[in-house]
Amino acid sequence: MPATAPLASSEEIRTHLVTRLNDALRRPGMWGGELSIRLILDHLLFIERRQEAWGDEQRALEQRKAWTSTGVKGAFQDFLPADHGDSVASVYAEFAHRQGWLKADRVLNTAEYASMRDTIASWAAHDRVWPDVTSAFGPPSVLIGGTNPSYGKTLGYLTENVSAPMVFFHLWNGTDPGTEPSWPPAHEQPLLLAIRRGDGPFAASFTVTPQGRRRRPGQEEIPERPGS
């Protein structure tokens, strides 16, 4: 027989979708990756009657070269090694933060955020691993990819000011080209390859570590971020 209980209210549905979005952003591999995130976003914007917001965001991403025919994933292919689903989720996390949907585990105060942005360029001039990031800047606002050090992940940092760009640390633990896959990986901790921040041209948003330069796909160097 059909259920007789009343349907969930629009607010209950919205709350449910916000929770699912945060789950999918933190563990994109378990939730189906980029497509699943976009579907949840679509449902949320429908509930809020703001379907046009994603079209505006996509056009902005295209202008920044952060969107390709294969979505956000394609934009990372020139900058980070393969299997960068966690990095892709970080772009959607930025959008979710601006919409008020992202639930942060920690919010940086103004001084902490300013100090981080001021020291990134010099700090990233040396090779770093996951514990180095949290030792220098504290626990992340959003951990994308889980806590297992055998896998890559992305650490996101934010403030209450949604107009202040989030800062992301992209960490990798995989197999170098030309070497046999191994398990567990050769590295005890994920290596920091790049820090991404800002809402300007996508290529200019990366500050790359020495490890990141050695592992970047292709031959061309990533242009330095203005003012770095």
Side-chain angles (χ1 to χ4, degrees), residues 9-165:
S9 68
S10 58
E11 187 57 39
E12 288 172 328
I13 295 171
R14 181 185 181 277
T15 299
H16 174 78
L17 289 172
V18 168
T19 299
R20 288 292 175 263
L21 175 62
N22 278 271
D23 291 340
L25 289 173
R26 284 168 167 78
R27 300 302 296 268
M30 294 179 60
W31 285 84
E34 184 170 4
L35 179 58
S36 293
I37 293 172
R38 286 167 58 184
L39 287 173
I40 299 173
L41 291 176
D42 182 67
H43 295 328
L44 258 172
L45 290 170
F46 176 78
I47 287 289
E48 296 186 357
R49 297 184 178 181
R50 297 190 300 117
Q51 295 97 313
E52 75 286 348
W54 176 247
D56 294 340
E57 177 69 9
Q58 185 175 328
R59 284 187 288 274
L61 291 172
E62 289 173 344
Q63 292 176 353
R64 295 174 51 210
K65 308 298 183 184
W67 182 271
T68 70
S69 59
T70 57
V72 173
K73 179 180 179 179
F76 278 97
Q77 290 179 349
D78 291 336
F79 303 103
L80 297 174
D83 192 22
H84 37 255
D86 301 331
S87 299
V88 169
S90 71
V91 174
Y92 290 94
E94 292 175 292
F95 179 68
H97 178 46
R98 293 194 298 272
Q99 306 309 309
W101 299 329
L102 189 63
K103 305 302 182 183
D105 300 319
R106 173 183 170 227
V107 177
L108 276 67
N109 61 39
T110 302
E112 290 171 328
Y113 181 79
S115 175
M116 172 185 287
R117 296 201 64 176
D118 289 345
T119 60
I120 278 175
S122 58
W123 185 85
H126 306 278
D127 286 329
R128 308 288 185 178
V129 294
W130 181 13
D132 295 328
V133 180
T134 54
S135 176
F137 305 112
S141 305
V142 182
L143 170 58
I144 304 175
T147 59
N148 190 329
S150 295
Y151 298 93
K153 57 196 82 271
T154 295
L155 313 184
Y157 292 81
L158 57 79
T159 71
E160 290 184 349
N161 180 6
V162 297
S163 65

Side-chain angles (χ1 to χ4, degrees), residues 138-211:
S141 305
V142 182
L143 170 58
I144 304 175
T147 59
N148 190 329
S150 295
Y151 298 93
K153 57 196 82 271
T154 295
L155 313 184
Y157 292 81
L158 57 79
T159 71
E160 290 184 349
N161 180 6
V162 297
S163 65
M166 293 182 68
V167 181
F168 293 98
F169 294 75
H170 297 290
L171 296 134
W172 171 89
N173 200 355
T175 302
D176 287 314
T179 61
E180 291 293 327
S182 63
W183 191 260
H187 309 288
E188 293 184 0
Q189 294 288 344
L191 311 178
L192 178 65
L193 299 190
I195 303 167
R196 187 174 62 82
R197 69 202 194 280
D199 52 7
F202 195 60
S205 68
F206 287 86
T207 297
V208 185
T209 66
Q211 291 280 11

